[in-house]
Each structure stands twice: as C-alpha cells, then as structure tokens.
C-alpha cells in the first residue's frame, strides 16, 4: 500500500463518496495559506468575546490572541487579566489594541461586537443597531488579514454574516456565522436528557435561522446510530407532535431564559465558538450546523445565509452535507 493512503478509502473503491456527500457552496475560494503558527483575533471584549477568548486559550488553540475593542481601559484590563494567567495556560502571546493593526496576519477573526440583546427583544430587532457597527469593523479586518476566515457571532447572526461577506469581499467559504451550532447543542442536550444518555451520543440538528424560525430536523435524529423517529414508528411507540414541538420551542426559548436570569449569555456560546475554531485550525473537517451561503441548497435561490450542516476545516466551509429533509422540513426552511 502507498504511504499515506488509507486502506478502504473511497478512492480504493473507484468512487468519490466525499464528492457526492458534500456539495461546495457557491463562490468558494481556495484554502488560505498557513504559516504554521496560528493567530486569532476577537473583536469585542464583552461577556461573549471574553468567554470565547478564555475558552480558546484554555484549549490551546492559538499561538497568538489579539483583542480589539473601542473601550481602551476595559480592553487593557482584559488583556492584563489574561496575561497574568500565563503560568496556567498553554504558551500564547496575548495582545490588544483599539487599532485594527493589532489584528494583522490573523488566521481567524471572530466578531462578537454589537449591541446586547435586551430581555424580550428578538434577534432580528438588533439589525439596525448592529449594521452600522459592522461597517466600521469588517473592512479593517479584511485589510489587515486578507487571508483570514471571518466568524460572526454577533446577532442577528445570519443577516450580519451576509453583511460581513459583502463588506469583506471574501469568498463565501471564508465567511461563516456561529448560526445554530449552539442551538443544536441545546437540542442534543434536551433529547439526551429525555432519553437519559450522553449528549455526545445524540446526532441532531437545528438548521435555518438562529432564532425564532429555526427548523428542528426530527427526521434525521439518531441516538447511538439508531434513527429515533423510525424506531418509534417501527415499534409502534406512540408520541404526540406537540411534545416534539415543545422540545424545539424550549431550545428557541433557551437564550431568552438565560438572558432573563443573568442578563446575557456567554459560556455556552464561548464553548460553541471555540469548538468551531478547533475544527478550523486543526483541520478536523467536522460537521457543524453553521450559517453559510445557502443559495443552491434545498430549493433556496436567493443569496441568504442560513445554518446548514457544513463540513468545516482549514479552508473554512468545505461543503454542505447532502442531508435529506422531509417536505415539511424543507417548507419550514
């Protein structure tokens, strides 16, 4: 066998399974060049930005971390606080500045800056408040890090990811939103809690808008490799659709509940974003339900960003999984 060639790979069989399983998104470009060391910039040092920065540091995902914010005193304070933990963290250079020059040469730029979602406020209501802000952020990041992958976390994430794509001029595969990555984690947790299993053994996705109109893909849920819905039908186990809808609604309301209790969300999105960063910088080619250019998928003809199960690696979005949707799921999407 040739060195580096895996036994039993699809190429051994004379078929390109990967090429059929994953479809590239429209306007994708080649992977960005990598110099070996990794630099990540986080824009916005609020609760979400610092949760992401802290999680990235503790997981040893970058060689250099740059923080950018307009509040100079808070920015310096957060930088020093992280630097003082150097003895307890993997070796990482931590820098900060109000000027975007500090972000130069980044492999990934994560945008968390934006107006905070108020209690009872929908994510879509944040559009106008955050649109102008992005015009002062994205062009600077694109100028100083022209080969970077942009990750948008600010809400409403799908619309702002589209805005970032247009403002940056980057190919579509290098602009991605955190999307329903966290929604899907909440979904998996709730299903796992109902079935008393580990959430890691639950395969389940929320797709579409990160928000009130998201779509739960009940048809493709599996636990330990067992398709849940077909198992229930085959074994004539009764269930009511309203109970399924209640679980999905609980996922939708999760963020609102946390915001109502503590004023903001931070730790879960921090872990979610770091999980996405890990897939990129380590080229893990994992599948994440993240906000991507959805044109050409499931009958969508417009240039919109919505969450779909996407394969993510060093080149950003490598492709979208050809997942089957029922007619009802397609209509909701």
């Amino acid at each position: 066998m040739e060195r580096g060639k895996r036994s039993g790979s699809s190429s051994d069989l004379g078929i390109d399974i990967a090429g059929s399983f994953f479809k590239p998104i429209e306007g994708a470009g080649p992977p960005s060049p990598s110099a070996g060391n990794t630099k990540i910039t986080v824009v916005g040092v609020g609760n979400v930005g610092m949760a992401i920065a802290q999680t990235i540091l503790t997981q040893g995902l970058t060689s250099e971390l740059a923080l950018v914010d307009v509040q100079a005193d808070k920015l310096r304070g957060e930088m020093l606080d992280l630097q003082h933990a150097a003895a307890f963290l993997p070796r990482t250079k931590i820098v900060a500045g109000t000027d975007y020059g500090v972000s130069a040469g980044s492999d990934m730029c994560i945008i968390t800056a934006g107006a905070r979602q108020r209690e009872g406020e929908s994510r879509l209501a944040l559009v106008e408040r955050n649109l102008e802000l992005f015009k002062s952020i994205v062009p600077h990041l694109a100028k100083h890090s022209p080969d970077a992958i942009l990750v948008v976390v600010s809400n409403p994430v799908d619309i702002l990811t589209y805005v970032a794509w247009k403002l940056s001029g980057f190919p579509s595969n290098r602009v991605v939103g955190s999307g329903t990555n966290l929604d899907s984690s909440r979904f998996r947790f709730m299903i796992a809690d109902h079935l008393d299993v580990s959430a890691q053994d639950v395969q389940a996705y929320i797709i579409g808008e990160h928000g009130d109109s998201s779509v739960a893909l009940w048809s493709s849920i599996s636990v330990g490799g067992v398709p849940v819905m077909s198992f229930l039908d085959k074994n004539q186990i009764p269930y009511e659709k309203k109970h399924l809808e209640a679980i999905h609604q609980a996922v939708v309301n999760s963020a609102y509940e946390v915001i109502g209790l503590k004023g903001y969300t931070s730790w879960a999105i921090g872990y979610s974003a770091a999980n996405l960063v890990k897939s990129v910088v380590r080229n893990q080619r994992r599948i994440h339900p993240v906000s991507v250019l959805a044109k050409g998928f499931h009958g969508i003809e417009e240039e919109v960003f919505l969450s779909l199960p996407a394969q993510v690696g060093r080149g950003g979005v490598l492709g979208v999984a050809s997942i089957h949707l029922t007619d009802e799921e397609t209509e909701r999407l």
Side-chain angles (χ1 to χ4, degrees), residues 28-34 146-149 171 173-174 283 285 313-318:
S32 302
S34 174
D147 296 319
I149 293 169
N173 58 304
R174 289 203 283 118
N283 198 31
R285 308 177 79 88
R314 193 74 196 191
V317 179
L318 307 178

Side-chain angles (χ1 to χ4, degrees), residues 100 130-140 160 163-164 167:
Y100 282 87
N130 283 334
L131 181 57
E132 291 303 317
L133 182 63
F134 264 53
K135 292 179 181 178
S136 68
I137 293 174
V138 176
H140 294 294
L160 291 180
V163 169
L167 290 174

